[in-house]
Amino acid sequence: MSEESIWGYPPSAGYQKGIDLIGYKVEATDGSIGKIDKHSDEVGASYLVVDTGVWIFGKHVLLPAGTIERIDTAEKKVYVSRTKDQVKDAPEFDEGKHAGEPSYLDQFARYYNQPHM
């Protein structure tokens, strides 16, 4: 996956512009990881911010849109192609930094594009 494609919703995910994903549950490949706190559908910089709740002490993580496998609007769930540990070990989302800044997003692109994933 290229750094550019990781920031776009995959066509197979079922994302439609205008869907409000806030509050949707997020499911990793091995279980639930939290709820969507905010999301972006900005071209080339689309992402989810997930509130992981108590399982990793309320950490907020940023997931590039390219990690989404499927969006289930009926169940209000988003399925991502990462394990709970991969999400837990991701760089923490910092609300004080501008999420749309390419330099800020680079750290997430590097993390999620690692070959072992």
Side-chain angles (χ1 to χ4, degrees), residues 53-111:
V54 295
W55 75 274
I56 52 174
F57 306 106
K59 181 176 172 182
H60 284 77
V61 294
L62 184 145
L63 288 168
T67 62
I68 297 172
E69 289 187 327
R70 180 170 63 91
I71 298 169
D72 185 331
T73 53
E75 289 191 16
K76 295 195 177 231
K77 287 185 180 179
V78 173
Y79 295 85
V80 296
S81 61
R82 299 297 187 269
T83 65
K84 290 168 79 170
D85 279 345
Q86 287 170 326
V87 172
K88 183 179 75 169
D89 295 340
E92 187 162 2
F93 174 70
D94 183 344
E95 186 73 55
K97 298 189 175 158
H98 191 299
E101 290 289 319
S103 59
Y104 182 64
L105 294 179
D106 283 348
Q107 66 180 315
F108 298 99
R110 281 192 301 276
Y111 178 79

Side-chain angles (χ1 to χ4, degrees), residues 14-15 18-27 32-39 48-51 70-79:
Y15 179 77
I19 292 177
D20 184 3
L21 298 175
I22 294 172
Y24 276 43
K25 290 183 180 172
V26 181
E27 299 288 329
S32 181
I33 58 170
K35 288 188 176 182
I36 297 174
D37 202 33
K38 64 191 289 186
H39 70 97
L48 308 173
V49 175
V50 179
D51 179 351
R70 180 170 63 91
I71 298 169
D72 185 331
T73 53
E75 289 191 16
K76 295 195 177 231
K77 287 185 180 179
V78 173
Y79 295 85

